[in-house]
C-alpha cells in the first residue's frame, strides 16, 4: 500500500493538469508553428514557463487503482502486477486465466 499522501498528491496533480491542459496545448501550438512571429512566440514561452510545474502531464504517475502502488503498473487493467495476479487467480478479471503449456 502506498502512502496516502502520495496518492492524494497525484490526484491533486491530475486536477491541475486537467485545468491547464487546453491552454498548454494552445501555447505549445503557437510555439511549434513556424509562421508565428518571434514576439508572440516569446510571449507564449514566457506564459508556459509561468504556469505551475504540476500543470505538465509528464509529472503524473500511473498508480494501482486498488492500493496506489506506483511500480509494475499494467495499463490494460489499471492495476499493479501484484494485484493483477491476485485478482486473476480469484477469477475477478474476465477473460484472464493462468497460462499453461
Amino acid at each position: 500500500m502506498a502512502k496516502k499522501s502520495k496518492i492524494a498528491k497525484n490526484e491533486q496533480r491530475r486536477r491541475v493538469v486537467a485545468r491547464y491542459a487546453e491552454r498548454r496545448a494552445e501555447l505549445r501550438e503557437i510555439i511549434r508553428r513556424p509562421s508565428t512571429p518571434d514576439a508572440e512566440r516569446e510571449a507564449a514561452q514566457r506564459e508556459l514557463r509561468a504556469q505551475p510545474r504540476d500543470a505538465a502531464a509528464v509529472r503524473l504517475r500511473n498508480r494501482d487503482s486498488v492500493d496506489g502502488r506506483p511500480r509494475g503498473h499494467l495499463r490494460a487493467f489499471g492495476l499493479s502486477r501484484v494485484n493483477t495476479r491476485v485478482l486473476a487467480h480469484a477469477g475477478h478479471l474476465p477473460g484472464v486465466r493462468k497460462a499453461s503449456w
Side-chain angles (χ1 to χ4, degrees), residues 7-77:
I7 296 169
K9 183 68 174 175
N10 202 46
E11 289 306 312
Q12 180 184 353
R13 279 191 181 130
R14 284 193 189 284
R15 289 191 295 271
V16 172
V17 166
R19 186 180 329 138
Y20 285 93
E22 188 176 338
R23 183 60 183 158
R24 282 183 73 86
E26 292 170 3
L27 292 172
R28 289 175 57 99
E29 179 61 26
I30 290 169
I31 293 167
R32 186 197 65 79
R33 219 177 309 127
S35 61
T36 306
D38 288 340
E40 188 178 345
R41 179 175 285 116
E42 288 173 12
Q45 288 172 340
R46 214 174 8 262
E47 184 180 339
L48 195 59
R49 278 195 307 267
Q51 288 184 351
R53 273 186 167 182
D54 285 346
V58 297
R59 292 182 59 95
L60 293 177
R61 181 79 169 154
N62 288 328
R63 290 186 172 270
D64 187 324
S65 59
V66 175
D67 65 3
R69 188 176 202 279
R71 305 279 180 104
H73 182 267
L74 302 174
R75 285 178 188 247
F77 304 107

Side-chain angles (χ1 to χ4, degrees), residues 74 76-77 79 81 83-99:
L74 302 174
F77 304 107
L79 301 169
R81 60 183 178 77
N83 280 322
T84 302
R85 185 172 189 271
V86 169
L87 294 176
H89 284 301
H92 297 301
L93 297 178
V96 177
R97 57 185 208 169
K98 188 174 177 188

